[in-house]
Amino acid sequence: MNHSIYKTQLDSFKSNSQGKAALRKIFGKKPVNLQDLLSIVRQRLIETEGESEFNLGMGKILSEEMLWSECGSPVIFIENEALANNLFTAEFDFKNNFTVQPPFKSFALSFPKGTLVNGVKLTSCLVTIMTEQEFVDLYKDKCQPIWGEFATTYPNQLCVHVHYRSEEFRTDSCFSPIPILTETLTKNAKKPLPNRSTDVLDALTRIALSLCVYHSATDGKKLVDGYPKSAVSLPIGKNRSAFKGLILRAPVQNKSAGEARKIKYRIPFYRNLRAKRYYQGKYKNLKPGTRWVLVKEVDATNSMNTMLQ
């Protein structure tokens, strides 16, 4: 079992002969970084007045990859397949003004090789979670200064953008305000997913948001610095020092029988904290509504795996 790390657009260019030839044609033999690649895309957007869909999409991805780099290139390794499935199926309310506080505005997810969620094979991806206004500001700052028409609809609305590299060597992406995802994510948690790229993105998106809830509900104690013991597949030309490695630990199975309880079985779930009293002291800098707590299961028969330990 091993993990792979998300490849940036530049990493992908460097990983095949055609990409390396394209870089040599543009930059010659000098070393190339993400900022260099972004500058080329930015210039092409200016020349086409932002009308090139390919360059526009590339510019957005590169902007978020630059943000990821500025965050220290954090990579969150999901400890095992069971945790990935638990994150996918965990119950919490998407419908009631859902909001979270991500551990980083932009981070990569890495899963053990062969991880499946309802038959869908998961892969490493890049996740960015910010408000719509923050996304707009990011794109304007890093990609295209003449984007005056790129206005916000709901500037304070939390949005999520997920990118992954498909087997066809293209980048599949999903951008959406959280409320629009409610129906899709709730539905997909309750049915098997066919193995299509859109369903991979749905699964990765739900897991990313669930990770944020889990991180809050466990007070950050399950996210620890380091790399998994198994092998890690790194992008060409990079070593571990290029990333901030973190492991999301799986919960410990609850062994207690709870014999004194009248209720023999209750599914665990997350409860959102909204009252002002929950945002005082060490939590005073958190946005109201971003804290979550775990409501423990009742399992008198000792038959339930739990997210709560």
Side-chain angles (χ1 to χ4, degrees):
M1 179 177 69
N2 62 6
H3 292 72
S4 63
I5 291 180
Y6 171 82
K7 290 182 179 179
T8 65
Q9 304 305 295
L10 182 57
D11 293 331
S12 297
F13 272 108
K14 291 180 177 180
S15 66
N16 65 79
S17 57
Q18 288 182 329
K20 287 188 285 189
L23 291 176
R24 284 196 301 270
K25 183 177 180 180
I26 298 172
F27 299 102
K29 295 183 179 181
K30 75 169 188 175
V32 183
N33 57 34
L34 274 175
Q35 183 61 62
D36 296 327
L37 191 58
L38 183 59
S39 296
I40 295 298
V41 173
R42 179 174 179 163
Q43 183 59 40
R44 289 178 178 174
L45 280 168
I46 292 174
E47 292 170 355
T48 61
E49 296 184 350
E51 294 181 358
S52 169
E53 288 296 326
F54 174 80
N55 287 323
L56 188 62
M58 176 73 81
K60 289 180 178 180
I61 295 174
L62 285 169
S63 295
E64 290 171 40
E65 290 176 349
M66 283 289 295
L67 176 62
W68 179 47
S69 176
E70 291 167 4
C71 290
S73 300
V75 181
I76 298 177
F77 297 94
I78 305 300
E79 188 173 31
N80 53 46
E81 184 177 50
L83 176 56
N85 276 275
N86 283 341
L87 290 171
F88 180 76
T89 58
E91 294 193 359
F92 48 90
D93 185 6
F94 272 113
K95 298 180 180 180
N96 186 25
N97 297 320
F98 176 84
T99 188
V100 290
Q101 181 74 35
F104 307 93
K105 285 188 174 181
S106 191
F107 57 92
L109 283 180
S110 178
F111 302 89
K113 185 178 181 180
T115 294
L116 298 176
V117 168
N118 283 345
V120 172
K121 184 178 179 181
L122 300 184
T123 185
S124 57
C125 63
L126 182 67
V127 179
T128 306
I129 302 175
M130 302 188 299
T131 65
E132 187 181 23
Q133 185 63 58
E134 288 176 312
F135 274 107
V136 170
D137 292 343
L138 175 70
Y139 299 151
K140 284 184 176 180
D141 175 55
K142 297 191 178 301
C143 191
Q144 179 54 289
I146 64 172
W147 257 348
E149 74 282 1
F150 195 63
T152 59
T153 305
Y154 302 102
N156 296 320
Q157 179 60 64
L158 197 67
C159 300
V160 58
H161 205 174
V162 177
H163 311 286
Y164 82 96
R165 197 76 173 168
S166 71
E167 294 180 356
E168 293 79 20
F169 299 101
R170 71 173 189 273
T171 300
D172 288 324
S173 301
C174 175
F175 176 86
S176 182
I178 300 300
I180 295 178
L181 290 170
T182 298
E183 182 177 352
T184 299
L185 295 176
T186 302
K187 181 179 179 182
N188 281 352
K190 298 178 180 179
K191 72 174 183 67
L193 299 174
N195 195 5
R196 300 193 303 268
S197 64
T198 54
D199 296 305
V200 175
L201 286 167
D202 287 344
L204 292 173
T205 301
R206 182 178 174 89
I207 288 171
L209 295 175
S210 183
L211 179 154
C212 296
V213 175
Y214 180 53
H215 181 61
S216 172
T218 55
D219 215 14
K221 295 178 181 179
K222 292 296 184 181
L223 188 62
V224 298
D225 291 340
Y227 280 78
K229 293 181 180 179
S230 59
V232 176
S233 177
L234 297 164
I236 293 175
K238 290 186 176 179
N239 54 38
R240 293 190 178 194
S241 64
F243 307 94
K244 178 178 175 59
L246 304 108
I247 304 171
L248 188 69
R249 296 294 187 190
V252 178
Q253 185 172 352
N254 187 4
K255 299 293 185 180
S256 62
E259 296 177 357
R261 296 180 183 269
K262 293 182 180 180
I263 301 174
K264 291 186 178 181
Y265 188 87
R266 180 181 67 203
I267 295 174
F269 64 95
Y270 295 101
R271 180 167 66 88
N272 190 223
L273 303 180
R274 296 185 176 276
K276 290 183 179 180
R277 66 179 182 275
Y278 296 121
Y279 296 89
Q280 300 176 6
K282 68 176 182 178
Y283 303 111
K284 65 181 180 180
N285 293 324
L286 293 181
K287 180 182 176 182
T290 57
R291 286 194 63 202
W292 297 78
V293 293
L294 301 159
V295 178
K296 292 191 175 184
E297 81 284 0
V298 174
D299 188 15
T301 60
N302 196 29
S303 61
M304 188 190 307
N305 288 325
T306 177
M307 287 287 288
L308 309 184
Q309 297 294 315

